Amino acid sequence: MLIADISQPLLTTAMAGAILPQLIIAFGITLALLLVAWKRSQRTIVLFTFFILFVSLIANVSLLTSQAIQVTQLLKVDGYSTFAFSLILISAIVALRMSHSFLKAHIEVHDEYYLLLLLMVLGAGILVTSDHFASLFLGFELLSISLVGLVGYHRDSQYSVESGFKYLVLSATASSFMLLGIAFIYSVTGDLSFNGSIPSEIYHQQGLGGFFQLGLLLFVSGIAFKLSIAPFHFWTPDVYQGAPTPVTLLMATISKVAMFVVLLKCIIAQHYLLLENFQVFLMSFAVISMLLGNVMALKQQNLKRLLAYSSIAHMGYLLIVIIVTSEQSLAFTWQSSLFYLAAYTVANLSIFIIIALIQQTNSNTNYQEDISLNDLQGLFWHAPSYGLLMILGLLSLAGIPLTMGFIGKFYILSQATIAHAWWLIAILIIGSGIGLAYYLPLIFKVFADPQAPIVPLVRGNSNEISSHIIEKILVYSFITLGLVFGIFPEVINQLISS
């Protein structure tokens, strides 16, 4: 039997096909390094990065209807991970375009920026397919180290050093917590696979149960740092504000999707929710995140800081899905989580596209670093399509009917109702009510007096709006996506369930 196992190939053609999107990204990084060594050209590296991401997206979409496949002990590719990686690649393509607009204002060639972007996507791709603590940590570090470089990339910014250093220190702390937690868990279970079971005779020995739960708490704390779950959220507002907007977009979408998916995979596979203390930890994290995130967002005047606190609240909402999950509702748990992540991603992409367009005046002027709520004043009247996209994104985050955000919250409420988690439902409703108190004023500002000072997006005279054709396509595409998926959510459900 042992001989037969050894004779089996470690990586078959079917396995290689399952991880083809990640292999394309990895191969693309190698080619990009050679390209940089041969010719440093911002236009060339942008086009090459887009080609790699687009080809990877096509390969990934073709896998949506494929059967789940185990790729060695480290990775498992199924429909859920494939859907999540599609969200990641779409976010990366949008961030690529907005990054190009941001970086072209500078004389330097920024090849390294695009290499870091590809490395981050590769790390996220490994995370969503992880089935082993070793691959999880590898993906986590790839994503974290790349983000540290991206956050501090804009050297001319007054916030660059501070936000980059802050993110570096806290990211290293999160990695340490996670690694120590994994070591504690391994010392009890003797297995690093997500499917490894806990031997009951060892677990119930005096001291080992507490040791295991301490390891579990450290491990989840490391992931909670990345997800900005309270009380591990303190870095989020400062780093959101200090990072270039395309990088903030990456943190708000790719990082959140990848970390939440791997957390859900790990918790479901290891049956951690059977541990009573663990449920209490998650509940306390969820409640604090929902209340604190929404309350702190109320007094923010900087738009990116407001969205940072908003993200803390939304991660609290998502934790409810994990808390109330059961063996009988695993498919619904995945569907609820992925739909909410899709809605959250589309809403954030919509809003950050508009923020980036407002900040970006033209290639001959300085980049506007801070963006306050007043910068949205009268946006709809000066640039109707941009105003409409901003409104759709805000309505979706607020969970207003006929938006994806409403459907996502409806799924969470349905699952919590089935589990009789009444007080979690009450906190979610209270948090959503508080959220309306800062989302709605933003929408009113977009519709405010058209005679108000013109936002930087408008160039020349007050009736002339100039932007690149690709940016216009992005804006109209996300308006369409927001409307279609909000009215016909079964399209997304079919993609997830396929």
Side-chain angles (χ1 to χ4, degrees):
M1 185 64 188
L2 182 61
I3 294 174
D5 287 339
I6 292 174
S7 64
Q8 289 178 356
L10 287 176
L11 186 66
T12 63
T13 307
M15 292 178 184
I19 57 170
L20 184 60
Q22 286 83 355
L23 291 177
I24 291 172
I25 298 291
F27 188 57
I29 293 170
T30 308
L31 290 181
L33 284 169
L34 295 174
L35 183 65
V36 172
W38 174 61
K39 181 181 181 183
R40 291 180 69 87
S41 162
Q42 185 149 309
R43 181 180 175 82
T44 306
I45 192 70
V46 168
L47 290 174
F48 180 78
T49 307
F50 172 76
F51 175 75
I52 293 297
L53 291 173
F54 186 72
V55 172
S56 179
L57 178 62
I58 297 296
N60 195 64
V61 169
S62 68
L63 295 173
L64 275 174
T65 55
S66 303
Q67 296 292 319
I69 182 168
Q70 187 76 36
V71 183
T72 70
Q73 287 188 335
L74 298 177
L75 305 174
K76 182 180 180 182
V77 180
D78 53 22
Y80 304 133
S81 61
T82 305
F83 180 84
F85 196 46
S86 297
L87 291 179
I88 288 166
L89 289 168
I90 291 169
S91 303
I93 290 173
V94 174
L96 175 68
R97 173 59 207 174
M98 304 322 294
S99 300
H100 178 57
S101 301
F102 162 69
L103 293 171
K104 73 180 181 183
H106 304 275
I107 299 172
E108 294 177 65
V109 179
H110 299 280
D111 298 327
E112 301 82 4
Y113 182 96
Y114 299 102
L115 285 171
L116 289 172
L117 175 60
L118 286 175
L119 280 169
M120 184 193 175
V121 173
L122 180 61
I126 293 173
L127 274 175
V128 296
T129 53
S130 288
D131 200 39
H132 196 277
F133 283 111
S135 53
L136 183 154
F137 192 72
L138 173 66
F140 183 87
E141 285 303 300
L142 261 180
L143 186 143
S144 300
I145 294 171
S146 309
L147 263 180
V148 168
L150 289 169
V151 168
Y153 194 84
H154 190 204
R155 291 179 300 174
D156 299 333
S157 166
Q158 58 177 319
Y159 304 117
S160 174
V161 175
E162 179 191 346
S163 56
F165 191 71
K166 192 172 287 185
Y167 191 74
L168 170 66
V169 171
L170 291 174
S171 186
T173 307
S175 299
S176 306
F177 276 32
M178 176 182 285
L179 196 56
L180 190 58
I182 292 172
F184 282 4
I185 293 171
Y186 178 72
S187 68
V188 175
T189 63
D191 193 347
L192 284 175
S193 170
F194 284 180
N195 294 314
S197 58
I198 308 168
S200 58
E201 64 276 13
I202 296 177
Y203 181 76
H204 290 295
Q205 286 179 18
Q206 189 175 9
L208 285 184
F211 198 62
F212 176 81
Q213 294 201 22
L214 176 61
L216 193 53
L217 178 62
L218 288 169
F219 168 69
V220 173
S221 299
I223 292 186
F225 268 110
K226 288 292 177 192
L227 287 174
S228 307
I229 290 172
F232 307 100
H233 65 284
F234 293 101
W235 62 272
T236 313
D238 292 342
V239 176
Y240 263 50
Q241 181 184 5
T245 297
V247 178
T248 312
L249 183 154
L250 293 170
M251 284 191 289
T253 54
I254 292 180
S255 180
K256 295 283 192 295
V257 171
M259 295 311 303
F260 191 85
V261 167
V262 77
L263 176 66
L264 183 58
K265 282 182 80 168
C266 188
I267 287 177
I268 288 178
Q270 297 252 308
H271 306 288
Y272 289 150
L273 290 171
L274 298 177
L275 306 172
E276 190 176 341
N277 290 341
F278 185 68
Q279 271 204 335
V280 174
F281 285 137
L282 285 188
M283 284 183 191
S284 56
F285 291 168
V287 171
I288 297 172
S289 298
M290 285 187 281
L291 294 178
L292 189 141
N294 281 310
V295 170
M296 292 299 291
L298 283 173
K299 62 178 185 180
Q300 301 305 317
Q301 291 302 311
N302 183 289
L303 186 53
K304 287 165 74 175
R305 290 184 75 87
L306 185 148
L307 291 171
Y309 282 111
S310 163
S311 75
I312 295 168
H314 281 279
M315 290 303 109
Y317 301 151
L318 262 174
L319 274 185
I320 294 178
V321 180
I322 297 181
I323 294 166
V324 300
T325 193
S326 64
E327 288 292 335
Q328 293 76 31
S329 63
L330 289 183
F332 191 31
T333 298
W334 272 111
Q335 188 172 13
S336 305
S337 302
L338 290 177
F339 191 97
Y340 198 92
L341 285 171
Y344 182 73
T345 301
V346 171
N348 272 283
L349 289 176
S350 303
I351 293 172
F352 278 106
I353 285 173
I354 300 304
I355 293 176
L357 288 171
I358 291 175
Q359 288 179 306
Q360 154 201 324
T361 51
N362 60 53
S363 59
N364 297 320
T365 59
N366 291 326
Y367 188 80
Q368 180 189 354
E369 287 197 37
D370 283 321
I371 178 162
S372 71
L373 308 190
N374 291 329
D375 287 316
L376 298 179
Q377 184 93 5
L379 176 65
F380 181 81
W381 306 108
H382 298 306
S385 58
Y386 299 160
L388 180 59
L389 183 58
M390 174 63 81
I391 290 167
L392 284 175
L394 292 171
L395 289 176
S396 184
L397 287 182
I400 302 299
L402 296 181
T403 63
M404 291 179 73
F406 171 76
I407 305 296
K409 278 187 181 169
F410 178 76
Y411 285 153
I412 293 176
L413 284 171
S414 301
Q415 199 166 356
T417 304
I418 294 170
H420 303 288
W422 305 116
W423 65 277
L424 277 177
I425 293 174
I427 300 290
L428 188 151
I429 292 172
I430 293 170
S432 300
I434 299 171
L436 289 176
Y438 58 86
Y439 287 128
L440 292 182
L442 284 177
I443 295 172
F444 296 152
K445 279 195 180 295
V446 174
F447 279 118
D449 182 8
Q451 299 305 318
I454 300 167
V455 293
L457 174 68
V458 184
R459 305 165 194 168
N461 63 60
S462 60
N463 297 318
E464 182 184 351
I465 297 173
S466 174
S467 57
H468 196 279
I469 183 67
I470 297 177
E471 290 158 358
K472 289 180 179 174
I473 291 172
L474 273 179
V475 168
Y476 286 112
S477 300
F478 276 93
I479 289 174
T480 307
L481 286 177
L483 290 173
V484 170
F485 292 151
I487 298 172
F488 305 105
E490 62 270 19
V491 178
I492 295 287
N493 289 331
Q494 286 173 359
L495 285 174
I496 296 171
S497 58
S498 64

